């Protein structure tokens, strides 16, 4: 009997040890993935265009195709482009963050920056990392001659941690990913009685704020689905476990999120946006 108890105790210890190891391995993998995907603003060595800022401006000027509408209407102005310099020196996620509406200048600026292939990646703690940068492009038409000037910046760090930020990078997300979060929604789903006997598929668009601690607040239905779906998705989001908050240069911030949830004819709910991870 003593031997049996001893064997059971050993088996239990082994199982607990294995479970602990699995949890540690999962945490390490998650941290490794986080570091691989993270986008920094402040780094030890900033990314640079290999031909210098003058070379980048020269490249853009040589390839400039001033938009016809802007040329005909003498439209000039300042464009902001945010982008990521990847670890291999390529550019990704080029987005227009300031534009001159209806001019086509933002789209032309984005096209021109995409031609700049030769970047040296940024470095933090001795490792190549993904870095967020902002390029300001001033378009001009002096004497009807198309021209541009550029300046390269680091996007600003958060000054007010109580502000709600709209993040392009390092967005808030469920602690165990969107697939697990979808499972949580369905495990806790109380399908509205008003829709039980109906063959319905409705999409509800919802905005909410993820605070610095990861709690979901300010939940608002932007596009209702009716039949009790709006109230149910609001209840489920309020019930949610804490998320990983969004951040800027590893500083947790309050950030806004907009997601679409599809209630299906199978009496389930699916995340329509963003794509499942």
């Amino acid at each position: 009997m003593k031997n049996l108890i001893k064997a059971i105790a050993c088996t239990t210890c082994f199982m607990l040890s294995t479970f602990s190891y699995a949890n540690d391995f999962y945490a390490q993998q998650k941290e490794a993935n986080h570091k691989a995907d993270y986008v920094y603003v402040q780094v030890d060595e900033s990314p640079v265009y290999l031909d210098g800022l003058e070379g980048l401006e020269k490249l853009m000027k040589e390839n400039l195709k001033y938009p016809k509408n802007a040329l005909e209407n003498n439209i000039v102005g300042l464009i902001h482009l945010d982008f990521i310099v990847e670890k291999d020196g390529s550019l990704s996620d080029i987005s227009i963050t300031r534009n001159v509406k209806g001019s086509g200048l933002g789209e032309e600026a984005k096209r021109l920056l995409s031609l700049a292939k030769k970047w040296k990646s940024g470095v933090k703690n001795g490792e190549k990392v993904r870095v967020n940068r902002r390029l300001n492009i001033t378009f001009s038409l002096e004497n009807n001659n198309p021209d541009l000037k550029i300046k390269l910046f680091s996007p600003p760090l958060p000054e007010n941690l109580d502000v709600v930020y709209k993040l392009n990078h390092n967005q808030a997300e469920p602690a165990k990913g969107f697939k697990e979060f979808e499972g949580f929604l369905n495990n806790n789903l109380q399908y509205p009685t008003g829709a039980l006997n109906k063959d319905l598929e409705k999409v509800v668009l919802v905005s909410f704020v993820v605070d610095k601690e990861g709690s979901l607040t300010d939940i608002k239905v932007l596009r209702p689905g009716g039949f009790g779906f709006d109230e149910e998705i609001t209840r489920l989001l309020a019930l949610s476990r804490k998320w990983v908050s969004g951040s800027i240069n590893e500083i947790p911030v309050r950030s806004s999120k907009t997601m679409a949830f599809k209630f299906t004819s199978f009496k389930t709910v699916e995340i329509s946006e963003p794509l499942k991870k």
Side-chain angles (χ1 to χ4, degrees):
M1 186 66 177
K2 287 182 179 180
N3 288 339
L4 178 61
I5 292 172
K6 188 175 180 181
I8 292 171
C10 289
T11 302
T12 302
C13 288
F14 174 76
M15 290 175 68
L16 289 172
S17 174
T18 302
F19 180 74
S20 176
Y21 174 79
N23 274 349
D24 289 345
F25 179 76
Y26 174 79
Q28 289 170 6
Q29 282 293 106
K30 188 175 178 182
E31 180 64 20
N33 291 338
H34 169 77
K35 287 182 177 179
D37 293 337
Y38 201 84
V39 180
Y40 293 89
V41 176
Q42 290 184 327
V43 287
D44 302 328
E45 296 178 30
S46 293
V48 293
Y49 188 66
L50 291 178
D51 291 339
L53 203 57
E54 299 82 2
L56 178 57
E57 187 172 273
K58 181 174 182 288
L59 172 75
M60 297 178 80
K61 285 184 176 185
E62 288 174 348
N63 290 277
L64 174 60
K65 297 177 182 177
Y66 214 89
K68 184 179 178 182
N69 177 59
L71 192 60
E72 291 175 349
N73 293 283
N74 198 38
I75 299 174
V76 299
L78 175 64
I79 305 298
H80 289 180
L81 296 179
D82 279 17
F83 60 99
I84 297 173
V85 182
E86 296 287 350
K87 288 183 277 189
D88 63 359
S90 63
L91 303 188
S92 68
D93 289 2
I94 302 174
S95 58
I96 303 166
T97 51
R98 174 173 173 166
N99 203 354
V100 180
K101 191 175 179 180
S103 67
L105 292 175
E107 291 72 18
E108 176 60 8
K110 187 174 179 179
R111 184 190 70 83
L112 290 170
L113 181 57
S114 69
L115 301 175
K117 309 292 185 185
K118 301 184 293 182
W119 289 77
K120 179 184 176 184
S121 59
V123 175
K124 186 177 179 66
N125 298 327
E127 295 183 0
K128 293 180 179 180
V129 293
R130 307 174 77 208
V131 183
N132 188 201
R133 282 295 174 260
R134 174 171 294 172
L135 189 70
N136 291 3
I137 306 101
T138 303
F139 287 91
S140 63
L141 282 170
E142 196 168 328
N143 298 322
N144 214 37
N145 292 320
D147 199 7
L148 60 81
K149 296 287 184 185
I150 67 170
K151 290 183 180 180
L152 187 64
F153 294 92
S154 298
L157 291 171
E159 295 179 1
N160 185 349
L161 295 182
D162 292 324
V163 167
V164 177
Y165 289 87
K166 186 175 181 179
L167 301 177
N168 291 324
H169 318 301
N170 311 326
Q171 297 182 17
E173 61 178 37
K176 293 185 179 180
F178 285 101
K179 194 168 184 179
E180 192 274 344
F181 180 61
E182 188 175 79
F184 164 82
L185 295 176
N186 281 287
N187 288 338
N188 291 277
L189 176 62
Q190 296 174 8
Y191 207 82
T193 54
L196 278 175
N197 299 320
K198 297 179 175 65
D199 188 22
L200 294 173
E201 290 207 340
K202 294 287 183 179
V203 175
V204 182
L205 189 67
V206 185
S207 72
F208 52 93
V209 172
V210 183
D211 68 20
K212 290 173 284 186
E213 289 73 38
S215 297
L216 307 192
T217 64
D218 298 337
I219 302 166
K220 296 175 184 176
V221 174
L222 302 180
R223 190 174 70 209
F227 298 93
F229 294 133
D230 310 335
E231 294 78 6
E232 180 57 10
I233 197 61
T234 300
R235 185 189 71 83
L236 287 170
L237 290 173
L239 192 66
S240 170
R241 303 181 185 94
K242 287 190 175 183
W243 286 32
V244 176
S245 61
S247 61
I248 301 174
N249 214 65
E250 299 189 287
I251 302 170
V253 295
R254 300 177 70 214
S255 61
S256 61
K257 197 88 175 172
T258 300
M259 294 178 65
F261 301 90
K262 180 181 179 181
F263 288 86
T264 76
S265 57
F266 299 103
K267 308 300 184 279
T268 61
V269 60
E270 297 176 352
I271 297 173
S272 294
E273 299 169 14
L275 295 177
K276 297 175 209 173
K277 294 184 180 180

